[in-house]
Amino acid sequence: MSNSIRGAAAIVGASLAGLGEAPGRTSEDIAIEASYKALAEAGLTTQDVDAVFGSLPGDCSPLSGLLMAEIMGIQPKFTDNNRTGGSTFLSYTLMAAMALKEGLCDTALIFYGSNQRSNTGKLVSSVRPFPYEAPYNPIFPATSYALAASRHMHLYGTTREQMASVAVAARQWANMNPEAFMRGPLSVADVLNSRMVSSPLTVRDCCLVTDGGAALVMVSAKRAKDFPKQPVYLLGGAAATTHMNIMAMADLTKTAAKDSGQRAFQMAGMKPSDVDVVELYDAFTINTILFLEDLGFCKKGEGGSFVASGAIAPGGSLPVNTNGGGLSCVHPGMYGMFTLVEGVRQLRGEGGERQVKNAEVALCHGNGGVLSSQITNILGTEATL
Amino acid sequence: MSATQAPVFSGPGPDRVYQEYLGKGELRIQRCGDCGKQVFYPRLACTGCGGIKLEWVQPSGRGTVHAVSIVNRQTEKGGPYNVVLVDLAEGARMMGRVDGVDNADVKIGMAVKAKIDSSGKAPFVVFEPA
């Protein structure tokens, strides 16, 4: 049963929209632009869509699954507006694959759009202060991640310099991505000397606040080769959740990515050494360290030295966040969707200057809440089926 | 008695009871009558075993700083402040703030004890060096 949806569905359209700044446009506008572009890639129109999965930021449009379908004139057989934070898109792919495999729908559209930068200039979140944390005024979500970082530093000797190297690697990738919002030189010293937000995290340890949207089109594997683009198959996927609020996270240095990763690899019949490119949700620099450890790319406690070695930067042994990530490319509030689009582009060979050679397997990983929800997707080309 | 008739499903809920204790100057947390786990924040059911026999007990208030972050608030808005997670001696974990010490001296492993801050609209627990 564990491999029941391995290779059952494929992504045949993937697109971005409104990256960086999209003044005067609503979150819906951005999501719809991305949806039309993804459908166009697949040679489809909204009239072909019979399942809709998606989110807009901050529940600004409650029931956005219904709203988006209405705006585009779609009357879906299957709608999912599940919200686990920025990881949620990696559960939409799982749900879509199941529904497609079982014939509950034929063409699934997954959407996201956010105008948070142009609209408010700050992170728009649907999370409300938790009564047992609110009196202490933690910055949501930065202080929660900062607490986890403090614990990782205490237990494993991880340093601020090592965390900064995550941001530097992301910038080096972004410098090869014309669509990235933040480009230009960035050094470890620049990260350390930038404004402290919630120690040990400076503003350059934190993801960007941008606009942006993305969309994916998924179909059953049976007809995946009937479309213009090379299909990218979902080989494995799994979700795991440990908590909602940071005070309830049992071990601040061990995330549910360990569990989601293991089950996703099991479904795919793969191991970390089979992965050519990693796209993970780097909301903060500590995330990349935690997830690389928990997903099995290095040992627990060795993530700091691993990232500081240059392994994840261009030219390193493990390409991570090849678009520049949430730290330097785009972060409209729920970054998980962008891990999938970049994974697809790398597997299609569309990465341009930043293309990872012979990429056949991509691991995409989403994080939601405050290290709360972890969802792993493993994508592969036809050769990996 | 069936689960649906259990006392926890009637009367004031756990948030209200906790606040009422704090209002009287008492920190109370819950202890599971089935498995003995100390539970915080207040709940209807034990997070360890799922049991619904949570009892209100008075912890020693002693604890250890488990994690710390200094929020770099601007000086004109009141300046930096610390946010900690504290493991109470009895096992439950709380978020908090350590008063009476420089932020730079709030360290993981530091011994602290709870006190109730009643200066605001609703009382809440803070910590001071033990």
Side-chain angles (χ1 to χ4, degrees), chain A residues 69-242:
Chain A
E70 177 186 279
I71 296 175
M72 290 190 281
I74 300 169
Q75 295 177 329
K77 295 173 182 162
F78 198 104
T79 305
D80 187 356
N81 193 201
N82 171 36
R83 300 194 67 124
T84 58
S87 60
T88 200
F89 308 98
L90 294 99
S91 79
Y92 296 151
T93 52
L94 284 180
M95 295 299 291
M98 288 190 273
L100 290 162
K101 176 172 186 271
E102 298 301 327
L104 301 179
C105 58
D106 293 320
T107 305
L109 172 68
I110 303 176
F111 71 81
Y112 174 58
S114 163
N115 68 347
Q116 67 170 13
R117 180 182 179 90
S118 298
N119 195 35
T120 71
K122 59 184 182 184
L123 174 73
V124 173
S125 170
S126 53
V127 176
R128 301 285 165 259
F130 188 61
Y132 296 94
E133 294 188 347
Y136 313 107
N137 297 309
I139 299 175
F140 181 86
T143 301
S144 297
Y145 288 88
L147 289 165
S150 81
R151 197 70 206 156
H152 204 276
M153 293 169 79
H154 176 75
L155 280 182
Y156 300 116
T158 306
T159 64
R160 286 185 57 208
E161 288 77 4
Q162 290 172 337
M163 289 193 285
S165 70
V166 172
V168 170
R171 181 61 61 86
Q172 290 170 349
W173 284 111
N175 286 339
M176 295 192 286
N177 178 6
E179 290 178 297
F181 185 66
M182 289 286 272
R183 306 182 68 193
L186 183 74
S187 68
V188 167
D190 292 337
V191 178
L192 297 180
N193 295 329
S194 63
R195 177 172 57 85
M196 185 62 78
V197 175
S198 191
S199 71
L201 304 176
T202 71
V203 69
R204 288 286 155 256
D205 286 295
C206 303
C207 56
L208 306 172
V209 174
T210 70
D211 299 334
L216 298 169
V217 179
M218 285 183 79
V219 300
S220 151
K222 287 182 196 130
R223 64 188 192 112
K225 286 192 255 179
D226 301 343
F227 299 90
K229 292 278 188 177
Q230 176 192 336
V232 170
Y233 295 86
L234 180 64
L235 301 177
T241 300
T242 44

Side-chain angles (χ1 to χ4, degrees), chain A residues 183-317:
Chain A
R183 306 182 68 193
L186 183 74
S187 68
V188 167
D190 292 337
V191 178
L192 297 180
N193 295 329
S194 63
R195 177 172 57 85
M196 185 62 78
V197 175
S198 191
S199 71
L201 304 176
T202 71
V203 69
R204 288 286 155 256
D205 286 295
C206 303
C207 56
L208 306 172
V209 174
T210 70
D211 299 334
L216 298 169
V217 179
M218 285 183 79
V219 300
S220 151
K222 287 182 196 130
R223 64 188 192 112
K225 286 192 255 179
D226 301 343
F227 299 90
K229 292 278 188 177
Q230 176 192 336
V232 170
Y233 295 86
L234 180 64
L235 301 177
T241 300
T242 44
H243 62 282
M244 165 78 196
N245 299 289
I246 200 69
M247 65 175 290
M249 184 174 185
D251 183 342
L252 271 69
T253 63
K254 184 182 156 194
T255 75
K258 189 166 180 64
D259 183 14
S260 69
Q262 269 176 1
R263 281 187 281 120
F265 276 122
Q266 189 182 13
M267 185 187 288
M270 289 179 172
K271 53 189 183 304
S273 59
D274 295 320
V275 174
D276 299 311
V277 57
V278 176
E279 307 294 345
L280 50 77
Y281 194 153
D282 56 344
F284 299 89
T285 51
I286 188 66
N287 293 35
T288 301
I289 292 171
L290 287 170
F291 300 154
L292 289 173
E293 291 174 349
D294 292 335
L295 293 167
F297 292 102
C298 62
K299 286 185 188 160
K300 180 51 71 183
E302 295 180 4
S305 51
F306 182 71
V307 298
S309 73
I312 66 170
S317 58

